[in-house]
Amino acid sequence: MVKRGIIIGRFQPPHRGHVEVFKQILREVDELIVVVGSAQESHTLENPFTAGERVLMISKALAEARVDLSRVHIIPIPDVNNNAIWVSHVTSLSPPFEIVYSGNPLVRRLFKEAGFETKTPPMFKRKEYWGTEIRDRMIRGKRWEELVPEAVLEVMREIKAVERLKDLSKTDYLLR
Ligand code: NAD
């Protein structure tokens, strides 16, 4: 039987820590499902990138890392306004899986209560490989480029990500 693991994140944006954790999970399972969560969100300071842009960034980053893409499924899933039914919402839209990997205690709790095996993956350089830090640096004109894979950087340039974030910061609330 094929053993599948799932990891769910907002990936705003995907960074080097995410790619490390994807590679690590792929050592433990046959196939990995990467769920691009909060798929309905985009163009805010907390969630600047569309689900489609995030899918593109993740698939290109995995290809760059020479991960066999036939072992990875990347699917966008929007949030639902009810935590108690969220797990069935996810399972209804995802390929079948057995193990849930998440550093997010709420995600682990919800899947555990639904009877899934849950695992906490290791964090890599969490202070820097952190979406909030990367978005903050982009807005403030600090160096952020080395925190994301080259392939993500290319997509960010293509979609003029810095310009978008700077514009959003003029109308949206401040990050910190
Ligand atoms: P995230 O993008 O912050 O992180 C995704 C995963 O990447 C985490 O599990 C974490 O373990 C890993 N990670 C982050 N930084 C890392 C690093 N430096 N090194 C290694 N690993 C690292 O996402 P999140 O906040 O956990 O996303 C959860 C998603 O699930 C969100 O989209 C949320 O809205 C959704 N959700 C929805 C509902 C609902 O709709 N009711 C309920 C719960 C969760």
Side-chain angles (χ1 to χ4, degrees), residues 74-88:
I74 308 170
I75 54 167
I77 297 189
D79 292 331
V80 287
N81 197 19
N82 183 343
N83 283 338
I85 62 163
W86 181 63
V87 169
S88 28

Side-chain angles (χ1 to χ4, degrees), residues 46-143:
E46 208 183 331
N47 292 293
F49 309 118
T50 68
E53 288 165 347
R54 289 176 274 158
V55 167
L56 187 64
M57 290 177 202
I58 294 166
S59 63
K60 285 188 180 281
L62 287 172
E64 179 186 87
R66 301 197 184 289
V67 169
D68 175 2
L69 287 174
S70 70
R71 294 178 59 206
V72 183
H73 314 277
I74 308 170
I75 54 167
I77 297 189
D79 292 331
V80 287
N81 197 19
N82 183 343
N83 283 338
I85 62 163
W86 181 63
V87 169
S88 28
H89 172 66
V90 172
T91 54
S92 77
L93 296 170
S94 165
F97 56 89
E98 294 161 46
I99 312 174
V100 179
Y101 293 86
S102 180
N104 181 324
L106 172 65
V107 171
R108 283 201 308 272
R109 159 84 1 220
L110 295 175
F111 276 98
K112 207 171 169 182
E113 286 185 10
F116 284 90
E117 181 184 348
T118 61
K119 285 191 175 181
T120 308
M123 284 288 174
F124 296 94
K125 292 193 193 169
R126 176 62 169 167
K127 278 191 187 152
E128 290 190 303
Y129 295 163
W130 181 32
T132 308
E133 174 70 19
I134 295 168
R135 298 191 304 275
D136 194 41
R137 288 191 191 191
M138 288 169 78
I139 290 167
R140 294 177 199 276
K142 293 191 194 160
R143 283 206 66 75

Side-chain angles (χ1 to χ4, degrees), residues 43-45 135-136 138-140 162-175:
H43 295 84
T44 66
L45 276 183
R135 298 191 304 275
D136 194 41
M138 288 169 78
I139 290 167
R140 294 177 199 276
V162 173
E163 203 178 303
R164 183 186 300 176
L165 264 161
K166 285 191 172 166
D167 269 351
L168 291 172
S169 74
K170 290 176 197 158
T171 53
D172 212 338
Y173 57 89
L174 278 174
L175 277 174

